[in-house]
mmCIF file of all heavy atoms in Angstrom:
data_model
loop_
_atom_site.group_PDB
_atom_site.id
_atom_site.type_symbol
_atom_site.label_atom_id
_atom_site.label_comp_id
_atom_site.label_asym_id
_atom_site.label_seq_id
_atom_site.Cartn_x
_atom_site.Cartn_y
_atom_site.Cartn_z
ATOM 1 N N LEU D 411 0.024 -0.960 17.413
ATOM 2 C CA LEU D 411 -0.139 -0.626 18.831
ATOM 3 C C LEU D 411 0.780 0.518 19.258
ATOM 4 O O LEU D 411 0.423 1.296 20.129
ATOM 5 C CB LEU D 411 0.144 -1.855 19.705
ATOM 6 C CG LEU D 411 -0.793 -3.047 19.489
ATOM 7 C CD1 LEU D 411 -0.323 -4.244 20.295
ATOM 8 C CD2 LEU D 411 -2.224 -2.670 19.890
ATOM 9 N N ALA D 412 1.962 0.575 18.664
ATOM 10 C CA ALA D 412 2.916 1.630 19.067
ATOM 11 C C ALA D 412 3.992 1.795 18.008
ATOM 12 O O ALA D 412 4.285 0.858 17.256
ATOM 13 C CB ALA D 412 3.562 1.259 20.398
ATOM 14 N N VAL D 413 4.545 2.994 17.971
ATOM 15 C CA VAL D 413 5.673 3.297 17.070
ATOM 16 C C VAL D 413 6.748 3.988 17.907
ATOM 17 O O VAL D 413 6.434 4.860 18.719
ATOM 18 C CB VAL D 413 5.241 4.260 15.934
ATOM 19 C CG1 VAL D 413 6.407 4.552 14.991
ATOM 20 C CG2 VAL D 413 4.056 3.710 15.152
ATOM 21 N N GLU D 414 7.997 3.578 17.720
ATOM 22 C CA GLU D 414 9.110 4.343 18.285
ATOM 23 C C GLU D 414 9.724 5.114 17.144
ATOM 24 O O GLU D 414 9.968 4.533 16.069
ATOM 25 C CB GLU D 414 10.143 3.408 18.907
ATOM 26 C CG GLU D 414 9.731 2.982 20.303
ATOM 27 C CD GLU D 414 10.646 1.920 20.884
ATOM 28 O OE1 GLU D 414 11.528 1.411 20.164
ATOM 29 O OE2 GLU D 414 10.441 1.594 22.055
ATOM 30 N N LEU D 415 9.974 6.407 17.359
ATOM 31 C CA LEU D 415 10.524 7.181 16.253
ATOM 32 C C LEU D 415 11.493 8.250 16.745
ATOM 33 O O LEU D 415 11.402 8.714 17.890
ATOM 34 C CB LEU D 415 9.420 7.806 15.386
ATOM 35 C CG LEU D 415 8.605 8.976 15.887
ATOM 36 C CD1 LEU D 415 7.926 9.666 14.719
ATOM 37 C CD2 LEU D 415 7.555 8.487 16.862
ATOM 38 N N VAL D 416 12.423 8.575 15.840
ATOM 39 C CA VAL D 416 13.358 9.666 16.099
ATOM 40 C C VAL D 416 12.727 10.908 15.492
ATOM 41 O O VAL D 416 12.415 10.938 14.295
ATOM 42 C CB VAL D 416 14.735 9.371 15.464
ATOM 43 C CG1 VAL D 416 15.668 10.565 15.641
ATOM 44 C CG2 VAL D 416 15.353 8.114 16.075
ATOM 45 N N THR D 417 12.510 11.912 16.322
ATOM 46 C CA THR D 417 11.818 13.113 15.857
ATOM 47 C C THR D 417 12.815 14.111 15.263
ATOM 48 O O THR D 417 14.029 13.942 15.387
ATOM 49 C CB THR D 417 11.048 13.767 17.019
ATOM 50 O OG1 THR D 417 11.970 13.993 18.076
ATOM 51 C CG2 THR D 417 9.933 12.875 17.501
ATOM 52 N N ALA D 418 12.286 15.166 14.660
ATOM 53 C CA ALA D 418 13.135 16.133 13.950
ATOM 54 C C ALA D 418 14.197 16.759 14.858
ATOM 55 O O ALA D 418 15.283 17.097 14.402
ATOM 56 C CB ALA D 418 12.249 17.220 13.344
ATOM 57 N N ASP D 419 13.893 16.867 16.165
ATOM 58 C CA ASP D 419 14.883 17.450 17.084
ATOM 59 C C ASP D 419 15.799 16.380 17.689
ATOM 60 O O ASP D 419 16.501 16.636 18.670
ATOM 61 C CB ASP D 419 14.183 18.271 18.177
ATOM 62 C CG ASP D 419 13.149 17.463 18.935
ATOM 63 O OD1 ASP D 419 13.005 16.250 18.648
ATOM 64 O OD2 ASP D 419 12.473 18.021 19.821
ATOM 65 N N GLY D 420 15.776 15.174 17.116
ATOM 66 C CA GLY D 420 16.752 14.152 17.507
ATOM 67 C C GLY D 420 16.408 13.394 18.782
ATOM 68 O O GLY D 420 17.269 12.762 19.377
ATOM 69 N N ARG D 421 15.136 13.393 19.184
ATOM 70 C CA ARG D 421 14.735 12.609 20.365
ATOM 71 C C ARG D 421 14.097 11.310 19.923
ATOM 72 O O ARG D 421 13.439 11.258 18.881
ATOM 73 C CB ARG D 421 13.703 13.379 21.191
ATOM 74 C CG ARG D 421 14.289 14.508 22.014
ATOM 75 C CD ARG D 421 13.196 15.201 22.802
ATOM 76 N NE ARG D 421 12.150 15.745 21.936
ATOM 77 C CZ ARG D 421 10.843 15.718 22.215
ATOM 78 N NH1 ARG D 421 10.389 15.151 23.307
ATOM 79 N NH2 ARG D 421 9.968 16.266 21.378
ATOM 80 N N LEU D 422 14.270 10.259 20.747
ATOM 81 C CA LEU D 422 13.590 8.991 20.480
ATOM 82 C C LEU D 422 12.310 8.979 21.316
ATOM 83 O O LEU D 422 12.379 9.005 22.548
ATOM 84 C CB LEU D 422 14.505 7.822 20.869
ATOM 85 C CG LEU D 422 14.002 6.423 20.547
ATOM 86 C CD1 LEU D 422 13.805 6.220 19.040
ATOM 87 C CD2 LEU D 422 14.977 5.366 21.070
ATOM 88 N N VAL D 423 11.151 8.983 20.660
ATOM 89 C CA VAL D 423 9.890 9.029 21.415
ATOM 90 C C VAL D 423 9.013 7.842 21.009
ATOM 91 O O VAL D 423 9.237 7.204 19.979
ATOM 92 C CB VAL D 423 9.098 10.347 21.188
ATOM 93 C CG1 VAL D 423 9.930 11.569 21.503
ATOM 94 C CG2 VAL D 423 8.553 10.430 19.783
ATOM 95 N N ARG D 424 8.013 7.604 21.855
ATOM 96 C CA ARG D 424 7.087 6.507 21.594
ATOM 97 C C ARG D 424 5.695 7.102 21.415
ATOM 98 O O ARG D 424 5.316 8.048 22.124
ATOM 99 C CB ARG D 424 7.124 5.572 22.806
ATOM 100 C CG ARG D 424 6.332 4.304 22.660
ATOM 101 C CD ARG D 424 6.503 3.492 23.962
ATOM 102 N NE ARG D 424 5.417 2.556 24.107
ATOM 103 C CZ ARG D 424 5.414 1.330 23.592
ATOM 104 N NH1 ARG D 424 6.455 0.891 22.919
ATOM 105 N NH2 ARG D 424 4.373 0.543 23.749
ATOM 106 N N ALA D 425 4.967 6.560 20.457
ATOM 107 C CA ALA D 425 3.588 7.018 20.254
ATOM 108 C C ALA D 425 2.661 5.808 20.265
ATOM 109 O O ALA D 425 2.948 4.788 19.640
ATOM 110 C CB ALA D 425 3.472 7.756 18.921
ATOM 111 N N SER D 426 1.575 5.927 21.016
ATOM 112 C CA SER D 426 0.567 4.859 21.094
ATOM 113 C C SER D 426 -0.743 5.530 21.495
ATOM 114 O O SER D 426 -0.795 6.765 21.605
ATOM 115 C CB SER D 426 0.981 3.819 22.145
ATOM 116 O OG SER D 426 0.912 4.408 23.432
ATOM 117 N N GLU D 427 -1.776 4.746 21.758
ATOM 118 C CA GLU D 427 -3.046 5.352 22.206
ATOM 119 C C GLU D 427 -2.855 6.102 23.525
ATOM 120 O O GLU D 427 -3.575 7.067 23.798
ATOM 121 C CB GLU D 427 -4.136 4.284 22.381
ATOM 122 C CG GLU D 427 -4.665 3.688 21.082
ATOM 123 C CD GLU D 427 -5.494 4.673 20.227
ATOM 124 O OE1 GLU D 427 -5.663 5.849 20.617
ATOM 125 O OE2 GLU D 427 -5.930 4.253 19.139
ATOM 126 N N ASP D 428 -1.884 5.660 24.359
ATOM 127 C CA ASP D 428 -1.704 6.265 25.690
ATOM 128 C C ASP D 428 -0.592 7.301 25.755
ATOM 129 O O ASP D 428 -0.516 8.066 26.710
ATOM 130 C CB ASP D 428 -1.357 5.176 26.733
ATOM 131 C CG ASP D 428 -2.382 4.077 26.724
ATOM 132 O OD1 ASP D 428 -3.573 4.410 26.568
ATOM 133 O OD2 ASP D 428 -1.992 2.900 26.823
ATOM 134 N N GLU D 429 0.313 7.257 24.813
ATOM 135 C CA GLU D 429 1.488 8.138 24.874
ATOM 136 C C GLU D 429 1.542 8.927 23.575
ATOM 137 O O GLU D 429 1.551 8.320 22.498
ATOM 138 C CB GLU D 429 2.725 7.224 24.903
ATOM 139 C CG GLU D 429 3.656 7.447 26.043
ATOM 140 C CD GLU D 429 4.726 6.358 26.042
ATOM 141 O OE1 GLU D 429 4.377 5.174 25.940
ATOM 142 O OE2 GLU D 429 5.888 6.712 26.109
ATOM 143 N N ASN D 430 1.595 10.229 23.632
ATOM 144 C CA ASN D 430 1.629 11.042 22.408
ATOM 145 C C ASN D 430 0.521 10.602 21.440
ATOM 146 O O ASN D 430 0.772 10.292 20.271
ATOM 147 C CB ASN D 430 3.000 10.948 21.734
ATOM 148 C CG ASN D 430 4.111 11.487 22.630
ATOM 149 O OD1 ASN D 430 4.006 12.592 23.145
ATOM 150 N ND2 ASN D 430 5.152 10.702 22.834
ATOM 151 N N SER D 431 -0.700 10.558 21.963
ATOM 152 C CA SER D 431 -1.788 9.935 21.197
ATOM 153 C C SER D 431 -2.141 10.714 19.922
ATOM 154 O O SER D 431 -2.548 10.122 18.919
ATOM 155 C CB SER D 431 -3.033 9.766 22.074
ATOM 156 O OG SER D 431 -3.419 11.016 22.571
ATOM 157 N N GLU D 432 -1.984 12.044 19.940
ATOM 158 C CA GLU D 432 -2.276 12.806 18.720
ATOM 159 C C GLU D 432 -1.243 12.483 17.630
ATOM 160 O O GLU D 432 -1.591 12.340 16.450
ATOM 161 C CB GLU D 432 -2.301 14.314 19.054
ATOM 162 C CG GLU D 432 -2.633 15.230 17.888
ATOM 163 C CD GLU D 432 -4.081 15.123 17.393
ATOM 164 O OE1 GLU D 432 -4.908 14.408 17.993
ATOM 165 O OE2 GLU D 432 -4.376 15.772 16.357
ATOM 166 N N LEU D 433 0.017 12.336 18.057
ATOM 167 C CA LEU D 433 1.057 11.932 17.101
ATOM 168 C C LEU D 433 0.736 10.541 16.542
ATOM 169 O O LEU D 433 0.853 10.297 15.339
ATOM 170 C CB LEU D 433 2.423 11.935 17.806
ATOM 171 C CG LEU D 433 3.625 11.451 17.001
ATOM 172 C CD1 LEU D 433 3.853 12.325 15.767
ATOM 173 C CD2 LEU D 433 4.897 11.441 17.873
ATOM 174 N N PHE D 434 0.275 9.647 17.417
ATOM 175 C CA PHE D 434 -0.076 8.297 16.986
ATOM 176 C C PHE D 434 -1.213 8.344 15.957
ATOM 177 O O PHE D 434 -1.216 7.607 14.977
ATOM 178 C CB PHE D 434 -0.479 7.460 18.207
ATOM 179 C CG PHE D 434 -0.658 5.995 17.917
ATOM 180 C CD1 PHE D 434 0.356 5.264 17.296
ATOM 181 C CD2 PHE D 434 -1.833 5.326 18.274
ATOM 182 C CE1 PHE D 434 0.196 3.906 17.029
ATOM 183 C CE2 PHE D 434 -1.998 3.982 18.002
ATOM 184 C CZ PHE D 434 -0.983 3.270 17.381
#
Side-chain angles (χ1 to χ4, degrees):
L411 298 174
V413 181
E414 278 173 353
L415 73 162
V416 175
T417 55
D419 55 2
R421 284 180 301 141
L422 185 62
V423 305
R424 186 179 158 87
S426 68
E427 289 291 1
D428 306 322
E429 235 173 311
N430 298 309
S431 58
E432 182 69 5
L433 176 61
F434 189 53

